[in-house]
């Protein structure tokens, strides 16, 4: 008898594992059970269909049931919901949703790829809100699409400033709907740090999105048309997109006695096995290892789900493989901004009590003399002694995603910050600079590690100002006139050598420019002339984002 492998869930992880299984085992009986109407659809494309960027709904279906069955000889059963798993008998109870009839099916190996469901807390009035939607499936998408086509909402509230919330905010705004984002935290997009998120906040405002931070929803009134916030502020909206996060679909696993992690995901090992060697878990439902910290984590992204699918199939078919863990590398488009990140951010490093150094740069996406160059704000975090890279963030124009991908590769390969200067990266003026922004991070990191540059951070400025620190601004007078640090003295870099006699020798000089590049040169002049000096990391550009309007 052929062995029987059952996959629960037929979208990102489920469809991938089934296809790989067939490629490795032509004889196995492979059954895919999916409770929805569709398999293998493009969750990630859903906001763009609603916004009209993707015009043809059919393009959202990556593979139809018929195509997949034909190509991979799979037994795909849509509208079949798995109700329970009996691990001792190795059987499932399945409900055929069209008829409500239940039946039993035995398995030799089981893969759970049930995904994650949008969180919907019991906020007063949420059930009565007729204009409130979550977004996960094609039917969810159709419901939002039809609602917009029928009722032509003029205003929308997006509750939650994560990836889905921001993608939806952009797509709704592009349809001419005025959007308010309501976010309980003090920033959107938690994978990036606050001084990076501020760029996104301003960009949203520039595109007419009203962003409310530090305020959660207390209640919905008038069938969802009035949203009462914790602060008692009232937001009115014709449509509500509720996107405050997801929770792993773990009910089946929990009831079957599979071990769950602290965050409710199904605990897995490096082969995606659960505590039952015949049961695997992958994708949004699985708890996996964080590549950088080595702790258990949950990452609801399509890339990890697909990689884990391959690893599970390999293990089932005896192909040696192991999951190294996930970095959580992610990118999101917010109107004209690209926001990308990989690895641990400063908030996570602080919370974990790990030693780190942060550096900020503002390179151009490509040679500034070639038209169309855009600034990218970059941040790198690394171990102060070993130079091991913890994570990176990029917010800005085109090219940020490419740099974060290079940095994700560097982290995966255990490169050190000083290795980044040696990477031989592609260059021509329309694409990059002879010193690519990633190389620049390496030069800067090396300067810090060797003690050639010493920095102070944007968040230390207020304290330093109180202590009467000496701030030296080496930008040009016209730049200085537009805004400067408290009581700063302006001596442009080109004139510094002839004004050294005016500078204090008894206390450190806190030197800065716009981005940290000119001030690094100034610091080198100062230090080599016997002064104590520190350079403002990320320059005035980073500081002013947070402290100037
Ligand atoms: P899913 O793809 O969600 O599949 C799980 C399936 O299991 C579902 O179809 C569900 O119906 C089925 N199921 C659950 N329980 C049962 C049961 N008991 N019986 C039968 N079937 C069951 N990720 C990115 O990396 N980049 C992006 O740009 C991105 N954009 C996104 C945009 C949106 C709007 C959404 C919703 C997600 C986005 N994601 C993105 C996340 C990505 O889609 C998920 O990480 C990925 O789909 C997870 O794969 P999965 O197999 O774990 O779960």
């Amino acid at each position: 008898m052929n062995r029987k492998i059952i996959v629960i869930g037929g979208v990102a992880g489920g469809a991938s594992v089934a296809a790989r299984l067939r490629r490795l085992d032509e004889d196995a009986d492979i059954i895919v059970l999916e409770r929805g109407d569709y398999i293998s659809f493009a969750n990630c494309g859903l906001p763009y269909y609603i916004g009209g960027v993707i015009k043809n709904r059919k393009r959202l279906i990556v593979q139809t049931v018929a195509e997949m069955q034909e190509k991979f000889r799979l037994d795909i059963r849509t509208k079949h919901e798995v109700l329970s798993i009996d691990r001792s008998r190795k059987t499932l109870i399945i409900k055929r949703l069209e008829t409500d009839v239940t039946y039993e099916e035995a398995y030799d190996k089981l893969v759970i790829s049930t995904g994650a469901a949008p969180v919907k807390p019991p906020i007063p009035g949420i059930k009565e809100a007729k204009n409130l939607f979550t977004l996960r499936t094609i039917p969810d998408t159709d419901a939002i699409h039809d609602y917009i086509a029928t009722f032509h909402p003029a205003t929308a509230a997006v509750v939650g400033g994560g990836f889905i919330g921001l993608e939806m905010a952009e797509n709704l705004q592009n349809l001419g709907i005025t959007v308010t984002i309501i976010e309980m935290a003090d920033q959107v997009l938690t994978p990036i740090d606050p001084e990076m998120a501020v760029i996104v906040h301003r960009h949203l405002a520039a595109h007419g999105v009203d962003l409310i931070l530090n305020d959660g929803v207390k209640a919905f009134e008038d069938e969802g048309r009035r949203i009462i916030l914790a602060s008692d502020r009232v937001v009115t909206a014709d449509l509500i997109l509720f996107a405050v996060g997801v929770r792993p679909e773990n009910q089946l696993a929990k009831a079957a006695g599979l071990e769950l992690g602290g965050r409710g995901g199904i605990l897995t090992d490096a082969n995606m096995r659960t505590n039952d060697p015949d049961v695997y878990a992958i994708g949004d439902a699985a708890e996996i290892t964080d590549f950088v910290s080595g702790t258990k984590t949950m990452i609801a992204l399509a890339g990890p789900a697909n990689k884990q699918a391959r690893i599970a199939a390999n293990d089932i078919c005896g192909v040696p493989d192991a999951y190294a863990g996930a970095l959580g590398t992610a990118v999101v488009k917010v109107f004209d901004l690209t926001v990308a990140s990989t690895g641990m951010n400063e908030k996570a490093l602080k919370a974990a009590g790990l030693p780190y150094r942060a550096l900020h740069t503002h390179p151009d996406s490509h040679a500034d003399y070639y038209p169309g160059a855009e600034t990218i704000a970059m941040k790198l975090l690394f171990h102060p002694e070993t130079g091991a890279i913890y994570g990176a963030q990029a917010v800005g124009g085109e090219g940020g995603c490419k740099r974060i991908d290079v940095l994700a590769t560097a982290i995966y390969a255990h490169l050190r910050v000083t290795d980044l200067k040696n990477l031989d990266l592609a260059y021509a003026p329309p694409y990059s600079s002879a010193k690519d922004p990633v190389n620049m991070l390496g030069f800067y990191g090396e300067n810090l590690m060797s003690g050639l540059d010493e920095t102070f951070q944007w968040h230390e400025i207020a304290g330093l100002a109180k202590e009467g620190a000496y701030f030296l601004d080496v930008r040009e007078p016209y730049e200085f006139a537009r805004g400067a640090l408290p009581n700063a003295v302006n001596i442009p870099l080109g004139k510094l050598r002839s004004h050294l006699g005016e500078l204090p020798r008894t206390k450190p000089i806190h030197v800065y420019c716009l981005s940290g590049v000119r001030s690094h040169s100034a610091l080198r002049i100062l230090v080599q002339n016997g002064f104590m000096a520190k350079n403002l990391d990320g320059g005035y550009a980073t500081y002013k984002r947070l402290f100037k309007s």
Side-chain angles (χ1 to χ4, degrees), residues 234-252:
V234 177
V235 175
T236 54
D238 301 327
L239 182 155
I240 301 168
L241 192 279
F242 199 80
V244 299
V246 293
R247 56 159 188 79
E249 290 253 23
N250 60 8
Q251 305 88 320
L252 281 177

Side-chain angles (χ1 to χ4, degrees), residues 6 19 78 127 151 177-178 221 274 286 292 294 409 489:
I6 299 189
T78 53
K127 278 195 193 137
F151 298 104
I177 301 169
T178 304
E221 287 179 356
T274 64
V292 181
T409 311
V489 173

Side-chain angles (χ1 to χ4, degrees), residues 28-45:
D29 291 332
I30 303 170
I31 303 174
V32 178
L33 299 166
E34 167 55 55
R35 95 183 143 197
D37 294 349
Y38 303 90
I39 55 147
S40 191
F41 65 84
N43 320 51
C44 313

Side-chain angles (χ1 to χ4, degrees), residues 429-452:
Y431 299 104
S432 184
S433 301
K435 289 184 259 186
D436 186 88
V438 174
N439 297 140
M440 292 301 296
L441 292 173
F443 295 140
Y444 188 4
E446 184 182 63
N447 286 343
L448 289 180
M449 290 197 67
S450 65
L452 219 53

Side-chain angles (χ1 to χ4, degrees), residues 61-115:
I61 317 291
V62 181
Q63 300 254 18
T64 64
V65 172
E67 282 164 357
M68 250 202 118
Q69 268 171 343
E70 195 179 39
K71 274 191 225 159
F72 299 104
R73 205 168 48 77
L74 303 169
D75 177 353
I76 301 174
R77 303 178 194 170
T78 53
K79 298 185 186 127
H80 281 60
E81 180 171 14
V82 178
L83 300 183
S84 62
I85 305 168
D86 183 339
R87 292 199 291 126
S88 57
R89 294 176 57 235
K90 295 178 81 170
T91 56
L92 305 176
I93 299 292
I94 303 158
K95 185 177 182 184
R96 196 189 290 264
L97 294 175
E98 276 172 328
T99 57
D100 268 1
V101 171
T102 57
Y103 63 99
E104 198 178 61
E105 191 77 63
Y107 64 84
D108 295 310
K109 297 281 180 190
L110 179 68
V111 183
I112 302 175
S113 189
T114 45

Side-chain angles (χ1 to χ4, degrees), residues 457-477:
Q457 292 291 330
W458 58 271
H459 52 77
E460 296 174 84
I461 289 172
L464 285 166
K466 255 193 211 151
E467 290 164 15
Y470 187 91
F471 293 123
L472 174 63
D473 187 321
V474 293
R475 295 175 300 162
E476 295 304 314

